[in-house]
Amino acid sequence: MKVNVEVTCTPEEARAFFGLPDIKPMQDRIMAEIEERLRSSLGAMNPETVFKTWLPASMQGVEQMQQIQQAFWSQLANIATGKKD
């Protein structure tokens, strides 16, 4: 014997039937607080800080790599010309 039962109800009705709490008010408060924190932190950031935050760490080292490269070529030129430091 096979019995099929089909129930049509809203999520609120299902929560009430199973005795689960309605957490929608708590979710709304948390989402409002998250939104407020995001807005305040974004408003406090200047474009340079935002750029550095979003820029991957590997890209932040490009300037340092350029300095190392310039020092290397400068040392190589000094060796080629016979200059001493």
Side-chain angles (χ1 to χ4, degrees), residues 18-53:
F18 288 110
L20 299 173
D22 183 15
I23 58 171
K24 178 104 171 86
M26 181 183 67
Q27 287 175 331
D28 291 340
R29 287 191 308 270
I30 290 173
M31 290 305 293
E33 185 175 337
I34 290 172
E35 182 179 355
E36 177 62 33
R37 287 184 183 189
L38 284 172
R39 287 181 189 272
S40 66
S41 66
L42 284 177
M45 292 179 130
N46 62 12
E48 183 178 347
T49 306
V50 171
F51 182 71
K52 285 182 180 179
T53 302

Side-chain angles (χ1 to χ4, degrees), residues 5-23:
V5 177
E6 188 174 320
V7 177
T8 304
C9 66
T10 66
E12 292 81 17
E13 292 170 337
R15 270 195 300 274
F17 178 77
F18 288 110
L20 299 173
D22 183 15
I23 58 171

